[in-house]
Amino acid sequence: MKKRRDLSQGHLYDSYIAPVQTYDEKKPTEIFKLTYVKEEEKKLRKEIHARRGFKAWFVKTVTYLWKILFGHFAEEWFFLAFLGILVAHISYMIDKGVMMCNSSRMWLYRDLADHPWAKYFAWICLPMTLCMFSAGFVKLVGPKAVGSGIPEMKTLLRGVYVEDFLTFRVLVAKVVGLTSTIGSSMPLGKEGPLMHVSCCCAHLLGKLVGFQGIYQNESRKLEMLAAATAVGVAVTFGAPIGGVLLSIEITTAYYGVRNYWRGFCAAVWGATVYRLLYVWIEGVETVTVVFKTSFFVDTPFAAQELLAFSILGIICGFGAAFYMRMKIKFNRFLKANKLIAEIKAANFFVYPGFVSLVVASINFPLGIGQFLAGHVGYAVQVKHMFSNFSWTGGNLTVAQHDIVKNWQTPWTGIYLHLVCVVAFNFVCSIFSSTMPIPNGSFIPNFRIGAAIGRILGELMHTWYPTGLSYYGRLTKVIPGGYALVGAAAFSGAVTQTMCVCVIVLEMSSQITHVIPILIANLISNSISQLCSGGLYNAGIKAKKLPYLPDLLPRKSAIYSVYVEDFMVTDVKYIYHGMPFEDLKNLLKDNKKIQSFPLVNNPVRLILLGSIPRMELIELLERQVGRERRLQELTEEEEKECRKGKSSQFQVGDTPTYSESDSDDMFTYNPAYESPPKSKSVKLPKKRVCDLSPKLQRKWEHFQMEKPVDFRLCHIDPAPFQLVERTSLLKVHSLFSLVGINTAYVTTIGRLIGVVGLKELRQAINDVKSGNLQPHNISIIVSEEK
C-alpha cells in the first residue's frame, strides 16, 4: 500500500498499477485494511508501547538526540559514508567468495584428479553447479536480480517506478547469485550488478529511523540512488572519479550539479574502505590499484604512435559495433526459438547447466583452453597483457619468461593465443549473458580490448624492435600501453561512454597514456554510435522498459512536429457531479491509468486538476464501504439485530483478511465469510451487526447513484500542461529535465489530449524512421490537394 501511495503522487499515465476488478467479487479490500485494520493496529501498538516503559523512553531519547545533533546538518554525510562502507564490505565478501570458488576449482583440477577425463569432470563440475545454483536461488528469492540491473536503474532514475527492484530479497539474491556467477569463472563481470546492489542498500538504508528524512522528497531520493550507482563502480574498480562520471553518463539525461558532491562522498568512502580491507585482512602493504602498471614515465610513446593508437580505436569501434549486433541478434533468436522456450519452461536448470558446460569445456586447459591461458584467472590475464615488456623480445628474465610461457605452446605462438582469447570472450560472453543469473558485461569487453591492443602492440614492437625515432630521440614501443588503450577503447565503445578513460587510468595508475586513451576512445565511440546502439540502451529495448530515448537534434522534424500530432485524444476524465457508478466503471475499465484529469463538465472540459487513482478508490470506499454502512445503522436497528427479531439483519464476527487477495477490488463485499488464511491479518474477534446480503446490495445500489463530491479528496490543482503547438523538442526536454511521465494537452484551458512516455517514445521513433512527417509539410501538402 505504501508503494502505491508513492506512485500516486506522480502522474504516470501508462505506468504500472495493480488490476482493479469488480466490487462484486468475494475478496476484502485494500482500503478496508487502510481504514479499519490500521486503526486496530494503532490501538495495539499504543498498548504495547505503554507496557515497554524505559525501553520506549530510551528509543525516543536516542531519536531526539540524533535529530538535534545530526539530523539537520550531517544526516546526508552520515548516510553517504555509511552507504560507501556497507557496499565496500559487500564487495569484499563477494571477492572472498569468488577466490574460494576459484581455489576450490583449481584444487579439484590439479590435486584430486590424475586421469584426463577425471580432470575434465573436476574442471566442469563446479561451474555447472554454481551457475545452476545461482539461477535457482535467484528464481526463488528475487527474480528481479537477473542481469546487470543497469537498464532498470536507468529507467528508475528517469522517474518511472520499477516494481520490487530494490527490495531486501532482491539484494540477497543479487549478492549470493553474483558470488556464484563470478566464482563459476564464466566470462562475465560484476560492475553492473554491484551498482544494483549499491542502489538496493541505499533504498533500504533510507527506511531506517535515522535516515527517513532523506527520502521524504521523491527527487532527493533519486539523487541518493544516483550517488549509489557511483559507489558500485568505485568499489568494483577502485575508481571513485570514474564511478561518479559513469553514474552521470549512463543513468541520467540531466544531472543536478547539487548531487555532484554526494556521488563523490559516497564513492570515496566506498573505494577507500574497499582497498583498506585488503590491507587489514589480506596483508597487502598499502592501498594499491587493481591493475598496477609500470610503463616508462619519461617517454611512454612517440608522436608517430598516435596514428597507431587511432587505428586501434577504429578497430575497436567496428569490433564493438559488431559485438552489439551479434548480441542483439542472438537474444532475439533465443526469444523466437520455440524449442529453447520449451526447455526453459520444462526445467529452469537445463539452460544454465548447458551454457556453463559448453563454456567450461571450451576453457578446459588440456583442450582448447591451452590456447586461451585457461589455467590462469581472468584478472591475471589482464595483468599479463598490461606488462611493460615485449613477449616476442629476447633476453627475458625469469619472471618475464613465467608470464610468456602461459601464452604459447611448443607448436603455437602468442598471436594465436591472443586471437583465441578475443574470440572466446567475444562469443562466450554473449552466450553466458543469456543465462538467468546476475551478470555484467564490462569486464569481458575490457579483456577483448586488452587482447586486441596487445596484438597491435606486439606487431609494432616486431616492426620497430629498436623503437621509433623522432628528432633524433629514440622511443621504445611498449606493447602494454597498447593493451591499456585497447581495453579502454573497446569497453568504452560497447557501453558508449567516455568515463571509461578515467576508470582505466584509475585502475592502472598510468596517467602517461591519457592522450592515446582519449583519442582511441573518441574514435571508437563515434564509430560505435554510428553503427549500433549501446549495451545498456539495448537492454532497455530488449526488456521494453519505459525509458525515454535520446533525441537527435540534427533532425529538423523535431522543431515542426507538434504534440497534437501524436497525443492521445481519447482522454479518460472525471467531472464534478458524475455518479459513483460511472466512477467505478471508469476505474474498472482503465486499470493502468494512475491519475485522472478533473474537468468542470463533459461539455466544456475545462481542466481543473488531477486526482490520483488511490484517492478515487478511497472515495468510493468511504461511500459504500463496510464502515460507512455500519455507521448508518440506527440504535433501534442495532438492537433488533442483536436480539435477532428481524431477518433484515445479521450478526457476525470480525473476519480475518488475507493480504494475498486484497489488491483486486475497491469495495467490500459482505458475503465474504471465509477468506484464505495465507498471510492473514488477525484482528480481535468482535460481534458486528450488519444488514442482510440482500439489503446490502440495495443499499450499495442506492449509494452508487449519488453524485461524487471530489472536494473530499486531494486534488492536484496544477498538473503539467502543454499547448497543442508545443514542438517535439520542447516536449522531450520537459519530460527529461523535470522527470515527468504524463502531461495534459489543453487549448485555452480545454482538455483535448494527453501525452505519456509511450506516446513520446513512439513519436521519436516515427520521426527517426520518417513515418511522422513535420506538421508544416503536411499542411502544405493538404492545401495543394
Side-chain angles (χ1 to χ4, degrees), residues 481-549:
Y482 286 83
L484 191 70
V485 174
F490 195 90
S491 56
V494 170
T495 58
Q496 293 186 359
T497 57
M498 288 299 300
C499 61
V500 176
C501 302
V502 181
I503 292 176
V504 171
L505 294 176
E506 289 186 278
M507 290 171 63
S508 60
S509 70
Q510 198 64 47
I511 196 67
T512 57
H513 280 70
V514 60
I515 298 299
I517 289 175
L518 288 172
I519 292 175
N521 203 356
L522 283 171
I523 295 174
S524 63
N525 251 296
S526 60
I527 295 175
S528 177
Q529 292 180 15
L530 289 175
C531 299
S532 66
L535 178 66
Y536 308 127
N537 290 333
I540 291 175
K541 293 180 180 178
K543 297 180 180 180
K544 297 181 180 179
L545 297 173
Y547 185 78
L548 190 61

Side-chain angles (χ1 to χ4, degrees), residues 118-172:
K119 285 182 174 293
Y120 172 73
F121 178 77
W123 181 261
I124 66 172
C125 65
L126 191 61
M128 292 181 61
T129 303
L130 290 175
C131 287
M132 290 189 291
F133 168 77
S134 178
F137 188 84
V138 170
K139 177 70 173 180
L140 294 175
V141 178
K144 290 296 180 67
V146 173
S148 67
I150 293 182
E152 290 84 357
M153 282 306 307
K154 287 172 68 73
T155 305
L156 186 64
L157 291 173
R158 173 60 186 76
V160 180
Y161 175 72
V162 181
E163 185 187 18
D164 298 333
F165 183 68
L166 300 176
T167 60
F168 179 75
R169 293 173 63 91
V170 173
L171 174 62
V172 174

Side-chain angles (χ1 to χ4, degrees), residues 294-303 305 388 468 470 473-478 509-513 516:
S294 57
F295 301 154
F296 304 124
V297 178
D298 293 336
T299 54
F301 58 89
E305 290 184 79
N388 63 343
L468 294 170
Y470 186 73
R473 186 170 186 175
L474 194 64
T475 303
K476 293 184 177 180
V477 176
I478 306 176
S509 70
Q510 198 64 47
I511 196 67
T512 57
H513 280 70

Side-chain angles (χ1 to χ4, degrees), residues 44-55:
L44 294 176
R45 287 177 182 174
K46 288 182 179 179
E47 295 178 0
I48 294 173
H49 282 293
R51 297 171 186 172
R52 287 180 179 176
F54 176 76
K55 187 176 181 180

